Amino acid sequence: MKQEDLATPNKPNWCPGCGDFGIWLAVKMALTQLDLKQEEVVIVYGIGCHGHMCNFTKTYGFEGLHGRPIPVAEGVKLANKDLKVIVVAGDGDTYAEGLNHFLMGVRGNHDVTLIVHDNRIYGLTTGQTSPTSEKGRVSKSTPTGSIEVPVNPMALAVAQGGSFVARGFSADPKQLVELIKAGINHRGFAVIDVFQNCATFNKVNTVEWFKEHTYRLEDTKYVPNDRMKALQIALDEEKLATGIFYQDSREAYDQDVPAEKGDALVDHDISDIDITESMEQFT
Amino acid sequence: MAENKISLRIGGPAGMGIMQTGLLFSKCCARIGLHVFDYIEYPSLIRGGHNTYQIRADHEEIHSQVVPVDILIALDEATMNIHCDELRDHSIVIYDGKTVKPENTRLHCGIRCPLPMSEIIQELGAKEIMRNTLALGAALGIMDYPFEVCEGVIRDIFKGKKEEIIKEDVDAARRGYDLGKEKYRHLSQFTLHTVDSPKRMVLTGNEAIALGAVKGGLKIYAAYPMTPASSILHTLAAWQERHNIVVKQTEDEVGTINFAIGAGFAGVRAMVGTSGGGFALMQEGISLGGITETPVVVVEVQRGGPGTGVPTFTEQADLKFVLNAGHGDFPRILLAPGDVEEAFHLTTTALNLAEKYQTPVMIISDKYLGESHKSAELFDTSNYTIDRGKLLREAPPNYLRYEDSPDGISPRTIPGVPNGLFLANSDEHTPFGWSCEEIPNRNTQMEKRMRKLETLKQEMPGPNLYGPEDADLTIVTWGSMKGPVLEAMNWLNREGCKVNVLHLTWVSPFPVEAVTNVLVNAKKTLMVENNFSSQMAGVIREQTGIAVQEKLLKYDGRPFWPEEVYDKVRSML
Ligand SMILES: Cc1ncc(C[n+]2csc(CCOP(=O)(O)OP(=O)(O)O)c2C)c(N)n1
């Protein structure tokens, strides 16, 4: 698949300077660099500004409901294990409305690559606090400051048995492309939380802010094979790491399902199923 | 003397193995060629409470349980107290003479048949739970049932278990059998013996749905456990390897429906099952299936609501909810089976319809149908073919997934098909799937989707009319109430009344003309349904403008007994 194959008749409608642009470019670069067939890629989108990407990226796509792209993606993968299944979601999507699906996806290790556009704010609904906003965030819905402490997606994923846990940054395309490629190649649930700015509604976590507060794990001697060390890094909310926090090679969900041993389910012949033995069971 | 006609009830605390013993008796009756129907009541707890299992068997076809009890097995005094009014003078009452004292209860009729159950269990060194088997053995002895058939049934039920476990059961049954026969056979008016008949299954509506799903090419079943839908999950889960299917217990019902829609989008037949509360959580997902035109089958096995309600009891009070499932306008298809045969066949149909019409298809059942066993001949599948509708495994040039079409159905590719790319979009969309809020496109897409119902109306069967065409009274009913209503109709017609029954199994699209025709010509009409607000009568009025004259409603968590329907009709004629 080439870059132009991914093009659609629609122009991006994100605000100028939105971090979504960087993530979008990285997704397209990763897809083309991996040399995948276009029809073998399914992207499932959440609802939010990030989800608008569905209109600018030509693959088999599914734009579902706010908070619910993960279970849709799991269903797609189990129906046709030959597909590469990617989820593009928001922080509201993943860590508020769909937190249950997030934890269960990590736990089940479904072979899905999850890319979370983490702008620490609700973009599409015009600027309410998000589960990743810091405590005290003043927003339209929290005029005197939010009361809850933020969700820590990296720590949750590491603690919940994540087999691939990583963080990127929309303004570091080089690293992000590599993370997405590694995530797609990973046989299991790949969590890639991507820091991004919201040019319109988040005046706190700007590109500069993220640059000041992040460092790249690749620039250190860190080896992502120790869950306790990964947790330690994940819990550090002052110096925010980007890169792969943790990876292992436990079996993906479909690899443990008896019916998935042979052909993909979608290729099973259902034209004349014999149920005699099952009926006899009731006699 | 009553030959091959029996109504038996076992009652006792939960956790005593009553369910298994009841099913054993149902199977014993079917094995000698009788028709069987059973009905189970149990509270929402694992131990204690009051469980009962009622089995009716007959050499003639039957459709439901009845009130009178011929044989009562009372495993505790509560059972005797609660059910003594169902007994007649010649009814047999079996109990453990040591632990159950009739004088402590209201027992006022029937033939008392105490057995030294505790002693025998001790002597056999068997588990306490074997008391049931012993009592059932006694009942079989009292009816002079051929014991070797019972042993065969026990061996089949425990197939795969260790011989000593099987033998423990067989021995307990045998001891009870011999004792019952020796001490009480001469007092009994009831006899069971083998009659000629085709081979029959004994299965519940839920099991019939599971069988139908497999026959219908199901590949993925997803559910979150919820009574009374759970046995669909259990049955299919046990068949995963035999039938090469994937069964997934999901994190919640929101996950369930979205997971199944993902599977449907990717090209496999997917189904979910739940009860009212779980169905409530699926609303947004069902609506998503509507706008993305994704095939999915949703089974709603109703229990008594609202809220947690009476979770192990029955009701038909989700009809209007399911009919209006999901927000917005989209084509909803709703089928309502009335017995195990319909549960099987309508499930196979539902899986075809979902793919053919590319929209969610719902099946509404309830605890009464879902968990009551009925005997049925092996299902005839010779007329069934898988119809995948306009599914394409190769895309034509300039393919557009949501292209307008006269029947409302557009050709559908699935991921993996070259040049068949599209976007399944929960936002309103263009023929490719791109988000679009422009007026002409919105109208075209909305009208295209809704047109599918018009297309379906042309191929759907009408409702069934049972009994004489020219009747003095027409009973209207739907879903699981078919059984008690047909039973009552048969009794009435046998006595010279002229009563027929209009039974609805297709609720959406609604068979307006067929129902109108029957009701316009009916002399008197009576609606029978298992809810407070007579929801189906409301639907009929909305669809046809006709008000059904009288209503017989029940919302206490129990199904109708045919006697109740009979009495009501008698009062109207
Ligand atoms: C069930 C439901 N609740 C609420 C909404 C409204 N809604 C749309 S997007 C969104 C949050 C967007 O935030 P996020 O997921 O972080 O995405 P972003 O717009 O920032 O990319 C909400 C609450 C919805 N579409 N569906």
Side-chain angles (χ1 to χ4, degrees), chain A residues 41-144:
Chain A
V41 174
V42 171
I43 307 183
V44 183
Y45 303 87
I47 295 285
C49 294
H50 61 274
H52 292 167
M53 194 193 287
C54 69
N55 290 308
F56 327 133
T57 317
K58 192 168 172 186
T59 64
Y60 275 102
F62 192 106
E63 193 193 33
L65 301 169
H66 181 55
R68 317 300 175 191
I70 292 172
V72 172
E74 292 169 1
V76 172
K77 183 70 196 187
L78 290 185
N80 187 350
K81 63 179 177 173
D82 298 336
L83 299 171
K84 296 283 185 196
V85 185
I86 298 164
V87 171
V88 166
D91 45 305
D93 251 338
T94 313
Y95 308 132
E97 198 88 306
L99 186 66
N100 196 11
H101 309 310
F102 171 70
L103 292 177
M104 295 295 183
V106 171
R107 196 180 141 228
N109 204 30
H110 294 268
D111 190 9
V112 164
T113 305
L114 169 69
I115 302 170
V116 183
H117 294 226
D118 186 359
N119 56 8
R120 302 187 161 194
I121 196 85
Y122 282 16
L124 190 61
T125 45
T126 70
Q128 300 84 1
T129 183
S130 144
T132 49
S133 304
E134 76 286 358
K135 180 171 165 62
R137 168 67 62 90
V138 173
S139 76
K140 277 188 182 165
S141 58
T142 53
T144 55

Side-chain angles (χ1 to χ4, degrees), chain B residues 444-459:
Chain B
T444 306
Q445 286 297 324
M446 183 61 103
E447 288 156 17
K448 180 188 94 75
R449 288 189 294 266
M450 296 309 290
R451 206 177 302 131
K452 294 191 245 182
L453 286 180
E454 299 310 313
T455 308
L456 175 53
K457 275 184 195 162
Q458 283 154 31
E459 72 156 315

Side-chain angles (χ1 to χ4, degrees), chain A residues 78 253 265, chain B residues 206 209-210 213-214 217-226 228-238 240 244-250 255-257 259-260 263 268-275 282 296-301 347 351 363:
Chain A
L78 290 185
Y253 191 94
L265 296 191
Chain B
N206 281 351
I209 285 176
V214 171
L218 179 86
K219 280 285 129 193
I220 290 193
Y221 183 77
Y224 188 86
M226 188 169 190
S230 299
S231 58
I232 304 176
L233 171 66
H234 305 161
T235 306
L236 289 169
Q240 283 181 97
N244 231 356
I245 56 177
V246 175
V247 174
K248 173 96 175 75
Q249 177 179 330
T250 52
T256 308
I257 185 72
F259 175 80
V268 303
R269 293 191 163 194
M271 185 168 99
V272 302
T274 185
S275 190
M282 293 185 184
V296 64
V297 175
V298 181
V299 182
E300 212 264 58
V301 188
T347 304
L351 284 154
I363 296 173

Side-chain angles (χ1 to χ4, degrees), chain B residues 90-339:
Chain B
H90 57 276
S91 298
I92 302 277
V93 186
I94 300 171
Y95 54 97
D96 185 343
K98 194 163 173 191
T99 57
V100 177
K101 304 283 177 207
E103 56 276 21
N104 294 340
T105 74
R106 295 194 301 115
L107 186 71
H108 51 79
C109 67
I111 303 164
R112 297 180 184 190
C113 304
L115 292 170
M117 295 192 203
S118 307
E119 285 94 326
I120 298 174
I121 293 297
Q122 246 177 358
E123 183 192 314
L124 288 173
K127 287 191 280 309
E128 185 59 8
I129 211 161
M130 286 299 154
R131 225 200 263 233
N132 289 293
T133 319
L134 184 94
L136 182 69
L140 292 173
I142 290 171
M143 291 182 279
D144 200 24
Y145 178 95
F147 184 78
E148 62 286 359
V149 181
C150 169
E151 175 164 351
V153 175
I154 293 175
R155 290 192 170 277
D156 282 354
I157 289 180
F158 293 108
K159 204 183 265 166
K161 291 240 166 86
K162 284 203 205 97
E163 175 60 24
E164 61 227 60
I165 294 178
I166 300 176
K167 199 166 169 305
E168 201 180 29
D169 260 275
V170 174
D171 285 352
R174 178 88 232 181
R175 279 297 289 273
Y177 185 88
D178 290 344
L179 204 60
K181 195 160 175 170
E182 178 198 315
K183 286 181 76 172
Y184 302 118
R185 169 67 190 144
H186 64 285
L187 301 174
S188 160
Q189 296 204 3
F190 308 104
T191 303
L192 295 183
H193 56 74
T194 307
V195 296
D196 229 16
S197 85
K199 188 189 229 176
R200 293 202 187 97
M201 303 179 281
V202 174
L203 80 172
T204 62
N206 281 351
E207 288 162 343
I209 285 176
L211 273 175
V214 171
K215 182 66 204 171
L218 179 86
K219 280 285 129 193
I220 290 193
Y221 183 77
Y224 188 86
M226 188 169 190
T227 304
S230 299
S231 58
I232 304 176
L233 171 66
H234 305 161
T235 306
L236 289 169
W239 289 343
Q240 283 181 97
E241 297 193 44
R242 180 191 295 166
H243 290 299
N244 231 356
I245 56 177
V246 175
V247 174
K248 173 96 175 75
Q249 177 179 330
T250 52
E251 56 271 35
D252 56 30
E253 290 85 349
V254 180
T256 308
I257 185 72
N258 280 279
F259 175 80
I261 285 175
F265 160 77
V268 303
R269 293 191 163 194
M271 185 168 99
V272 302
T274 185
S275 190
F279 187 76
L281 291 178
M282 293 185 184
Q283 298 310 294
E284 197 188 11
I286 291 170
S287 182
L288 171 70
I291 193 163
T292 57
E293 306 196 38
T294 306
V296 64
V297 175
V298 181
V299 182
E300 212 264 58
V301 188
Q302 301 163 97
R303 63 194 213 181
T308 305
V310 274
T312 57
F313 288 85
T314 201
E315 197 166 65
Q316 293 183 298
D318 296 347
L319 176 68
K320 285 196 172 176
F321 178 41
V322 177
L323 252 181
N324 295 288
H327 55 290
D329 274 331
F330 60 94
R332 299 169 176 89
I333 301 174
L334 175 58
L335 310 176
D339 56 27

Side-chain angles (χ1 to χ4, degrees), chain B residues 20 24 29 56 58 155 164 168 177 179 193 200 258 297 335 357 385 394 422 437 464 468 501 524 530-531 534 546 560:
Chain B
Q20 200 164 37
L24 175 61
C29 292
R56 181 174 170 220
D58 203 304
R155 290 192 170 277
E164 61 227 60
E168 201 180 29
Y177 185 88
L179 204 60
H193 56 74
R200 293 202 187 97
N258 280 279
V297 175
L335 310 176
Y357 291 92
T385 44
E394 251 171 74
F422 71 95
E437 293 167 353
N464 285 314
V501 172
K524 284 185 178 164
N530 225 181
N531 58 51
S534 199
I546 300 170
F560 278 101

